[in-house]
Amino acid sequence: MPTTLDTGNTAWLMASTAMVLLMTPGLAFFYGGMVKTKHVLVMLKMSFVCLAVVTLLWLAIGYSLAFGKDVGGLGLIGTPKHWFMHDVGMTSLWGSTGIPTVIFSCFQMAFAIITVALISGSIAGRATMRGWIWFAVAWTLLVYVPLAHWVFAPDGWVTSHLGALDFAGGLPVEINSGAAGLAVAIVVRKRKDFERETIRPHNLPLVVVGLALLWFGWFGFNAGSALQTGGTAPMAFFNTQLAAAGAMVGWPLIEKWKLGHVEMLGVAGAAVAGMVAITPACGEISPLGALAVGFIAGVVCAFAINFKYKMGYDDTLDVVGVHGFGGIVGTLAIGLFATVQMSGKKGLFYGGGVSLLWRQAVAVIACATFSFAATWLIAKVIEKTVGFRADEEYEHVPGHEEELAYDDETISEIRSRLTQARVPVPVGAGAQEVDPAAADHQLLADLREVLSRREQEK
C-alpha cells in the first residue's frame, strides 16, 4: 500500500468528481425540458436541492456509514467513527491507489447526490417541495448509504460476501433509483389524467442540453470508478461510449416499428439507457460485450417505459423504465459477458457457467427489494406527517415574476388582444359578439405581428 500521494490518480479522480457533480445540473435540465412549462422550475429546484442537502448529510455522517469500517462483520453498514470527516486528515490515503481519502469521499458524494435527484423524475409535477426535502434527507441516510456500503465498501456483503460484481454503481445508483422511483410514485399517487394525457416535453433542446451534460459526466462516473488512470479505466471509458451507441440503435428500431417514426426524445432516452446499463459492467466486459449490452438495454427500455400504463403506476419521466430496467440489464449482463482479462471472472458466454450469473441475480433482487420496501415506508411516513403529494393536481406554480421559467409577456399580449376581439361591440340598439372563427384568425395575425416586432427589437 503506497504511503505517498499518486498525483496522476489524484488528478484524474478530481476531474472525474467534477464531471459527476456536473451530471446533477445536467439531470435538472434533462428533466426540466421533459415536463410542462409550469413545472420546469420545480424540477430544477428538486435537483439543485440535492446538491446542498446530500452534501451536508455526506459530510456529517453519510461517508462514515457508507465507507467506514464494517460493523459486526456482516457487510451491512459502516462505523460512525468518521462523522464530519473525523480522523480523515490531509495525508490520509484511500486504499492502494495513492488518492487522498477526502477526494475519494467527494467522488462518492457526487454519486449519492445524483442518485437522490434521479428519483424526482418519478413524481415530477405532483410532489411538494417540503415533502421532497424531507424525503431526500431520510432516503439518503436510510437507503442510499446502506446500499453504498453493501456494494462500494471493501467489506460490503454484496461484493465481499456474495461475490457479485458492480464496477460503477448499477446496484446502488441505477437499480436503487429505479426501485425507489416505483415506490414513491405509488405513494404519491398518479395524476387524474395519467391514462388520458401523455406529457410531451415543453423544450426538447433543453432535454438535449441536459443529455449532453449527462453524457460528458458519465465518462467520469464510469472511468473514474477505476480510481486510477491505468488498469480498466480506459476500457471503462470506451465501453461507456459503445453502450450509448448500441442503445441508440436498439431503441429507435423499436420506436420505428411501434410508431412508424423515431423521435428525438426517444433518441435521448436511448443514450441514457445505454449508459445506465453499462455502468455496472463497464470495467468487467469487452468492447463487443458493451455494444451488445447497450443494444439490449435500448430494446428492453423501449418496451419497459410503457409498463407503467399496464401496471397503473405513474412513473412520470420513466425512471423505472430506464434506470431500473437498464440497471437490471447491465448488472445481469456481467454474468453473461464478463471476461477474465477485464474482471478476473468468466461470464456464461465465456465458459464460466452460471456461477457469476446467479450471484448477480441475487444482488439485483436483494438491492431492489430493500430499496422498494424502505422507500415505500419513508414516503408513507412523509405523506402522513408533513405531506408529500401536492394539494393541487399539479404543484403550485409561484406567481411572482422572478419565479417564472420564461418571460410570458408575448403570451399575455396575445391573450389580451384575443380578449378585446371577443368583447361585445354595439351594433345599433343591441350588441353582437365577434365571430369565433374570425377572432381565431385575428389571433394568428396578432401572433405573427408580435413575434415579428420582437425579432426586429432583437
Side-chain angles (χ1 to χ4, degrees), residues 111-301:
F111 278 53
I113 291 170
I114 194 169
T115 305
V116 181
L118 282 170
I119 303 170
S120 66
S122 289
I123 51 176
R126 62 187 199 276
T128 63
M129 189 58 64
R130 178 180 63 254
W132 172 249
I133 293 173
W134 279 107
F135 175 82
V137 172
W139 194 86
T140 299
L141 294 178
L142 300 179
V143 181
Y144 181 81
V145 165
L147 279 178
H149 185 80
W150 293 9
V151 179
F152 289 145
D155 44 11
W157 83 269
V158 168
T159 49
S160 65
H161 297 190
L162 178 62
L165 300 177
D166 186 347
F167 191 81
L171 293 164
V173 177
E174 308 300 354
I175 293 176
N176 189 14
S177 62
L182 176 60
V184 77
I186 293 173
V187 172
V188 175
R189 303 184 305 280
K190 58 187 177 182
R191 293 160 287 143
K192 291 181 180 179
D193 58 357
F194 165 60
E195 295 178 352
R196 299 191 304 271
E197 179 184 5
T198 300
I199 293 180
R200 302 297 301 169
H202 86 279
N203 192 329
L204 265 176
L206 190 62
V207 174
V208 176
V209 169
L211 171 64
L213 294 174
L214 286 170
W215 201 323
F216 174 76
W218 230 302
F219 292 112
F221 197 102
N222 287 351
S225 294
L227 303 182
Q228 57 182 323
T229 55
T232 55
M235 191 63 75
F237 194 104
F238 188 37
N239 283 347
T240 301
Q241 179 68 17
L242 290 172
M248 291 173 72
V249 174
W251 184 314
L253 285 176
I254 300 302
E255 199 168 76
K256 178 69 174 177
W257 170 61
K258 293 173 62 177
L259 304 179
H261 63 277
V262 177
E263 298 182 344
M264 185 62 226
L265 183 61
V267 173
V272 172
M275 290 183 283
V276 164
I278 201 60
T279 293
C282 59
E284 316 289 358
I285 64 179
S286 68
L288 287 179
L291 193 62
V293 167
F295 180 85
I296 295 169
V299 172
V300 170
C301 292

Side-chain angles (χ1 to χ4, degrees), residues 38-39 125-128 188-189 191-192 388-398:
K38 62 180 179 179
H39 295 144
R126 62 187 199 276
T128 63
V188 175
R189 303 184 305 280
R191 293 160 287 143
K192 291 181 180 179
F388 209 166
R389 174 64 186 257
D391 293 335
E392 300 175 355
E393 178 61 22
Y394 297 103
E395 181 160 346
H396 172 65
V397 179

